[in-house]
Structures are given as C-alpha cells and as structure tokens.
Amino acid sequence: MMQDLFTEAREDLDDGAVLMRGFAVDAAAALLSDIAQVSALAPFRHLVTPGGFRMSVAMTNCGDFGWVSDRRGYRYDPIDPESGHPWPPMPVSFIDLAGRAAHAAGYAGFHADVCLINCYLPGTRLTLHQDRDEGDFTQPIVSISLGLPAAFLWGGKARTDKTRRYALHHGDVVVWGGLSRLNFHGIAPLKDGNHPIVGARRFNLTFRRAR
Ligand code: MD6
Ligand code: FE
C-alpha cells in the first residue's frame, strides 16, 4: 500500500535522483525528537569554509563520522572538533528512515555512516555545490526535509549548468546516486514563515556513506 502511495508521489529529477513527497511525514515526530537529543550533545554551529567565510547554515552530525569544514579544508572526522569527543551515535529513527527511503528509491542495502544535520533560519541559504567528500560514489545520498519549505536548486554536472527549482516541504525526501551522484545542488534563501510543528526554521538531514 505504502509502495503504491509512493509510486504516485515520486518525481524523477534525473537518472538516479528521485523526490519522494511526504515519505518522512509519519516519522517526523521521532526524527525531530532525535535531532533535539543529538544537538544537545553536539550543538549546531556555523562552520568556516576553507576560504574563511562563515557558513549561514548551522550544522551538526551524528554517526561514525561528521562532515566538517575549516581553514584546512572539508573532511569527514570521527571526532567533533568542538567537544573533542566522537559524534553522537545515529538514532534508530534515522537509520530506519534512511534505509527505507534508499530502498524505495531503488538503492537497496544502503548503510549510512554519517548523518549531517543542517538548520536553516529565514534568510539562510546553501550555495550550489557537489557532495564529493565521500569515499564511494556508488552509494547514494538520502536527504530529508523538516519544517519550513525551501526551494531546492537542482543543477547538472557543471556549476554553470541550468538549475531547476523544486519546493521541498516537511517530510519530503530526495535520494540521489547513480548518474546524478555528483550533480550540483543548493538551497535558495529560506523564506520567513512559521511551521506548525517546527517553528520558524527548517532542518535537513543528509545521510551519507563517508568511508
Ligand atoms: C538541504 N541539502 O536540502 C541541503 N546534498 O538543505 C544538500 O546539500 C544535499 O539535500 C546532497 C544530497 C541531498 C541534499
Ligand atoms: Fe549537498
């Protein structure tokens, strides 16, 4: 039944990339409570790019590694540089949803070892980029949106390729891999608003296989 529902609500962005509207709605309450638990141990922070710019999106991580950026570059690190301790373990609600979403999108056997958690406030954006710090590009990325809607910019293989915009709402999931794994993408500045459950912000969870 759920499977039928999601053949209805799925939209192919490109070969290997699929948007599954509402896939995470039922799990949202558990995911939000686990975001609170993770961020109590590893608080959201604004990383600095290698070029010295403070990122407008606030980030934290859980799992075996975390994605970090500083003046030395981008990397996956088993230790949270703020605390000096390992990142919090990945909550069961996260592992479950990531595995089901990848499977539904056609990527069976996905085992994420990182979940990067992004927090956007109104005005926050994420410029066009590729996710290319992972060790194995045969593994997809699973992305979950919670809270305020955002305009997702979906580009091509080159930074200058034309982008399309997709509105991502609370509970929407995007999975990409295969021929789309290195496509450029980003988030336009978040519009002001108030989400009935999440308030004036948006969370994005991206699950990755770093090693
Ligand atoms: C976001 N997401 O949706 C930013 N990257 O807030 C990403 O940059 C992203 O959603 C790789 C795969 C999925 C994503
Ligand atoms: Fe990304």
Side-chain angles (χ1 to χ4, degrees):
M1 212 281 263
M2 286 304 268
Q3 215 54 45
D4 294 348
L5 216 76
F6 283 105
T7 46
E8 295 295 308
R10 52 193 292 153
E11 202 172 328
D12 287 314
L13 305 190
D14 260 320
D15 200 333
V18 59
L19 165 54
M20 301 188 294
R21 295 218 177 263
F23 190 93
V25 163
D26 292 346
L31 296 173
L32 287 164
S33 133
D34 283 332
I35 291 171
Q37 303 242 19
V38 167
S39 61
L41 297 170
F44 284 104
R45 78 289 305 263
H46 294 272
L47 299 174
V48 173
T49 66
F53 296 100
R54 175 184 186 266
M55 295 182 74
S56 76
V57 55
M59 298 182 171
T60 187
N61 294 275
C62 58
D64 295 341
F65 304 95
W67 186 84
V68 293
S69 173
D70 59 22
R71 294 304 298 241
R72 291 186 287 152
Y74 305 117
R75 67 184 177 281
Y76 282 100
D77 199 318
I79 300 296
D80 175 355
E82 295 268 303
S83 68
H85 298 299
W87 297 98
M90 203 161 333
V92 172
S93 69
F94 285 26
I95 297 170
D96 175 65
L97 205 273
R100 287 194 294 115
H103 188 269
Y107 298 98
F110 175 59
H111 296 288
D113 56 6
V114 177
C115 177
L116 170 65
I117 309 173
N118 290 330
C119 179
Y120 295 74
L121 299 179
T124 300
R125 65 195 296 234
L126 191 63
T127 53
L128 225 49
H129 66 278
Q130 293 170 296
D131 288 15
R132 54 180 305 154
D133 301 314
E134 298 74 30
D136 179 357
F137 296 141
T138 68
Q139 295 294 306
I141 290 185
V142 172
S143 161
I144 300 171
S145 294
L146 296 169
L148 287 179
F152 181 58
L153 308 172
W154 175 250
K157 314 285 177 226
R159 188 180 294 280
T160 50
D161 288 350
K162 195 171 166 300
T163 59
R164 285 172 287 170
R165 280 179 174 246
Y166 294 89
L168 297 183
H169 292 95
H170 182 74
D172 288 352
V173 176
V174 183
V175 180
W176 70 76
L179 293 175
S180 297
R181 178 62 179 72
L182 292 174
N183 278 38
F184 278 86
H185 57 277
I187 295 286
L190 199 76
K191 289 212 174 91
D192 208 355
N194 187 62
H195 184 274
I197 304 165
V198 183
R201 56 199 172 151
R202 168 181 186 257
F203 293 113
N204 174 257
L205 307 176
T206 55
F207 293 90
R208 298 118 187 276
R209 182 87 202 170
R211 303 280 167 93

Coordinates of all heavy atoms in Angstrom, one line a residue, residues 126 129-131 141 176 185-186 206 208, ligand 2:
L126 N 22.2 27.8 0.9 CA 23.3 27.0 0.7 C 23.7 27.1 -0.8 O 22.8 26.7 -1.6 CB 23.0 25.5 1.1 CG 24.1 24.5 1.2 CD1 25.1 24.9 2.3 CD2 23.6 23.1 1.5
H129 N 26.6 23.4 -4.9 CA 27.8 22.6 -4.6 C 27.6 21.2 -5.0 O 26.5 20.8 -5.4 CB 28.1 22.7 -3.1 CG 27.0 22.0 -2.3 ND1 25.8 22.6 -1.9 CD2 26.9 20.7 -1.8 CE1 25.1 21.8 -1.3 NE2 25.7 20.6 -1.2
Q130 N 28.7 20.4 -5.0 CA 28.6 19.0 -5.2 C 28.9 18.3 -3.9 O 29.7 18.9 -3.1 CB 29.7 18.5 -6.2 CG 29.5 19.0 -7.6 CD 30.7 18.7 -8.5 OE1 31.8 19.2 -8.2 NE2 30.5 17.8 -9.4
D131 N 28.4 17.1 -3.6 CA 28.8 16.4 -2.4 C 29.8 15.4 -2.9 O 29.5 14.4 -3.5 CB 27.6 15.6 -1.9 CG 26.6 16.6 -1.2 OD1 26.7 17.8 -1.4 OD2 25.7 16.1 -0.4
I141 N 22.9 9.4 -1.7 CA 22.7 10.3 -0.5 C 21.2 10.4 -0.3 O 20.4 10.4 -1.3 CB 23.3 11.7 -0.8 CG1 24.8 11.5 -0.8 CG2 22.8 12.7 0.2 CD1 25.6 12.8 -0.9
W176 N 19.6 10.7 -4.1 CA 20.3 10.7 -5.4 C 21.6 9.9 -5.3 O 22.3 9.8 -4.3 CB 20.5 12.0 -6.0 CG 21.4 13.0 -5.4 CD1 22.7 13.0 -5.4 CD2 21.0 14.2 -4.7 NE1 23.2 14.1 -4.8 CE2 22.1 14.8 -4.4 CE3 19.7 14.7 -4.4 CZ2 22.1 16.1 -3.7 CZ3 19.7 15.9 -3.7 CH2 20.9 16.6 -3.4
H185 N 23.9 21.2 -6.6 CA 22.6 21.4 -6.0 C 22.8 22.5 -4.9 O 23.9 22.7 -4.4 CB 22.0 20.1 -5.4 CG 22.9 19.5 -4.4 ND1 24.0 18.6 -4.8 CD2 23.0 19.6 -3.1 CE1 24.6 18.2 -3.7 NE2 24.0 18.8 -2.7
G186 N 21.7 23.1 -4.4 CA 21.8 24.1 -3.4 C 20.4 24.4 -2.9 O 19.4 23.8 -3.3
T206 N 21.0 14.9 5.9 CA 21.5 14.1 4.7 C 22.4 13.0 5.3 O 23.3 13.1 6.1 CB 22.3 15.0 3.7 OG1 23.4 15.6 4.4 CG2 21.5 15.9 3.0
R208 N 24.8 9.9 4.5 CA 25.9 9.6 3.5 C 26.7 8.3 4.0 O 26.7 8.0 5.2 CB 26.9 10.8 3.5 CG 26.4 12.1 3.1 CD 26.4 13.1 4.1 NE 25.7 14.3 3.7 CZ 26.3 15.3 3.0 NH1 27.5 15.2 2.6 NH2 25.6 16.3 2.6
Ligands
FE2 FE 24.7 18.8 -0.7

